[in-house]
Amino acid sequence: MYGSEKVTDGAGRTAFRRAEKKYKLYYDENSKSSKKKKQPKPVDLTEVIDFKAILECYNRNGELPRGVIALQGEDSRPVFCLENSPGFYFIPEALSIEEQFHWIKESLTNFPQPPNRTNHNAIYGPVCDLFIAAKDGKVLIHEENSPNSLPGSNPDVGIEDDHEWKFSKKSQHSLRGSKCKSISASVLLRKLRWSTLGVQFDWSKRNYDLSLPHNKIPDALCQLAKRLAKPALPAGIEFQPEAAIVNYFGLGDALGGHLDDMEADWSKPIVSLSLGCKAIFLLGGKSREDPPLAMFLRSGDAVLMAGEARECFHGVPRIFTDKENAETNDLEVHFVHEDDLCFLRYINSSRININIRQVF
Ligand code: OGA
Ligand code: MN
């Protein structure tokens, strides 16, 4: 799956790679050397499909651009399909602001909790309560006399001793001097790239590993995914959510073109939710040579990929973290409680993607 992220056609030799380069975040050469904050290079967005605008126009006068089909989803809200991309469904504004608010909080607090794994496991072992630790300004400290503390030792070895890395107050840390390795929780939070729910995906083997301890995916997420998956399934066939991958994107992060091909039944959709900053999604064809379509993904949008669309390369070359383009204003209005400001601060410059899968 994500192994294909390692792009071997670095020179932009495939159509997919060329599109990734077109939309990727680059900085203006001139602004780098100047004292001014570096400015992102302007990017031509005229070819990016905007389903928000399509929805508005469709609701106003029933008109659709060529190649776009509208199905009637729940509460007669439209679900859009593309004539030339069977199995792909776009549900604009699938989640209410309240739902977005809820899933952003879950993604930052509960989803990265052990036994769910995150990208930090390989180095630090299971890390508990990362978001709270970041909020409290804590530091993750490596105990000095631990037997597994040899520098450069296999990171997985340390996992057996789950007391090795511990959160501690910053002040206590400075008292101990600089002998132990440490990293601040806020840096770790910024470096959180994924967490896995339900059946755990083993990134090194690039497969699901049933032997890893796991919880069922949360029931509310399961129900939501079942409801959203309906347009992509024949009547009477139910989607069985068994795993989810949560991706966290910060400034400059991207998800390279890939296929999700480790699930048994490709007739079942992947249900993919967008939260936070607006992004560009590329939907390619079965070959990297097929020029991809670019479209905006906004907070609250859902995408379904089933059947033939499961065989199509796709990726996220860009997220927008600037105020004008991020389009997180609606969230800002909702996250007003003092306790919520830390979530707002995170999501104003980040994007979260939850993609839910039936594995077997
Ligand atoms: C994935 C994926 C898309 C997104 O995680 O497999 O394709 O919108 N995510 O982030
Ligand atoms: Mn994918």
Side-chain angles (χ1 to χ4, degrees):
M1 164 165 84
Y2 290 63
S4 47
E5 238 186 291
K6 283 192 199 104
V7 186
T8 47
D9 48 355
R13 263 180 265 132
T14 67
F16 199 95
R17 185 68 187 134
R18 279 195 295 279
E20 286 179 322
K21 288 182 78 170
K22 170 175 173 180
Y23 293 113
K24 196 184 141 170
L25 172 67
Y26 289 106
Y27 288 100
D28 256 332
E29 282 305 318
N30 301 336
S31 66
K32 255 185 198 163
S33 52
S34 81
K35 286 213 178 73
K36 280 199 299 196
K37 222 174 131 201
K38 27 181 206 171
Q39 293 297 321
K41 222 175 182 161
V43 48
D44 177 6
L45 299 174
T46 50
E47 284 176 12
V48 183
I49 302 172
D50 186 343
F51 280 105
K52 185 181 182 194
I54 291 173
L55 177 69
E56 279 164 10
C57 180
Y58 182 69
N59 284 342
R60 214 170 32 242
N61 55 26
E63 277 176 24
L64 288 171
R66 264 228 318 265
V68 178
I69 305 161
L71 308 177
Q72 222 175 61
E74 283 183 305
D75 311 328
S76 54
R77 288 168 54 83
V79 173
F80 296 118
C81 304
L82 299 168
E83 233 161 59
N84 295 329
S85 306
F88 178 83
Y89 302 79
F90 195 109
I91 315 176
E93 300 168 16
L95 304 180
S96 67
I97 294 284
E98 286 75 15
E99 286 173 304
Q100 293 170 45
F101 179 75
H102 175 76
W103 294 115
I104 289 167
K105 283 179 150 183
E106 288 290 290
S107 300
L108 291 172
T109 54
N110 290 329
F111 292 172
Q113 291 290 62
N116 296 342
R117 295 165 68 84
T118 76
N119 55 303
H120 291 322
N121 267 74
I123 303 171
Y124 305 103
V127 175
C128 292
D129 299 325
L130 173 60
F131 192 77
I132 297 172
K135 194 171 139 196
D136 295 346
K138 289 194 173 164
V139 176
L140 191 67
I141 295 179
H142 191 255
E143 297 296 333
E144 203 180 343
N145 297 321
S146 161
N148 292 326
S149 62
L150 291 176
S153 60
N154 180 349
D156 273 321
V157 173
I159 291 172
E160 282 166 29
D161 176 1
D162 61 0
H163 295 297
E164 212 179 352
W165 287 91
K166 262 192 192 154
F167 280 122
S168 163
K169 284 243 165 66
K170 239 183 200 144
S171 52
Q172 288 168 5
H173 171 232
S174 37
L175 281 176
R176 291 188 213 182
S178 56
K179 279 190 185 147
C180 44
K181 289 188 275 182
S182 68
I183 181 159
S184 80
S186 60
V187 168
L188 279 180
L189 180 63
R190 225 175 34 237
K191 291 187 172 176
L192 181 66
R193 286 305 315 272
W194 55 262
S195 62
T196 43
L197 316 183
V199 179
Q200 296 290 291
F201 191 77
D202 181 332
W203 295 87
S204 58
K205 299 193 192 104
R206 292 181 60 243
N207 212 339
Y208 293 95
D209 186 344
L210 268 174
S211 70
L212 290 171
H214 64 273
N215 293 333
K216 274 207 163 120
I217 83 169
D219 196 49
L221 188 63
C222 193
Q223 297 311 322
L224 173 68
K226 282 187 178 186
R227 173 164 68 81
L228 292 173
K230 279 189 182 148
L233 287 166
I237 304 284
E238 245 205 1
F239 177 52
Q240 298 298 340
E242 288 154 336
I245 296 178
V246 186
N247 295 303
Y248 306 82
F249 298 77
L251 174 69
D253 288 339
L255 178 62
H258 66 277
L259 296 175
D260 300 295
D261 51 6
M262 293 300 156
E263 295 77 19
D265 180 356
W266 290 7
S267 71
K268 295 293 177 351
I270 288 184
V271 178
S272 183
L273 310 174
S274 287
L275 299 164
C277 292
K278 189 172 76 180
I280 292 182
F281 181 75
L282 293 178
L283 175 65
K286 295 180 186 175
S287 154
R288 287 184 188 270
E289 298 297 342
D290 300 328
L293 292 171
M295 60 193 81
F296 290 121
L297 285 176
R298 293 179 174 85
S299 198
D301 291 341
V303 157
L304 313 177
M305 293 177 84
E308 279 200 49
R310 291 289 306 252
E311 299 172 57
C312 294
F313 283 93
H314 59 278
V316 178
R318 173 78 179 258
I319 74 159
F320 297 93
T321 56
D322 61 293
K323 197 126 186 72
E324 193 184 335
N325 285 299
E327 297 189 37
T328 53
N329 303 2
D330 292 353
L331 289 169
E332 212 152 297
V333 176
H334 204 84
F335 281 84
V336 284
H337 197 272
E338 179 135 18
D339 291 347
D340 296 333
L341 290 180
C342 47
F343 294 106
L344 185 62
R345 214 169 300 128
Y346 179 92
I347 207 66
N348 263 341
S349 60
S350 314
R351 170 177 186 264
I352 299 174
N353 164 247
I354 308 174
N355 60 87
I356 305 136
R357 298 136 186 255
Q358 177 166 337
V359 177
F360 305 106

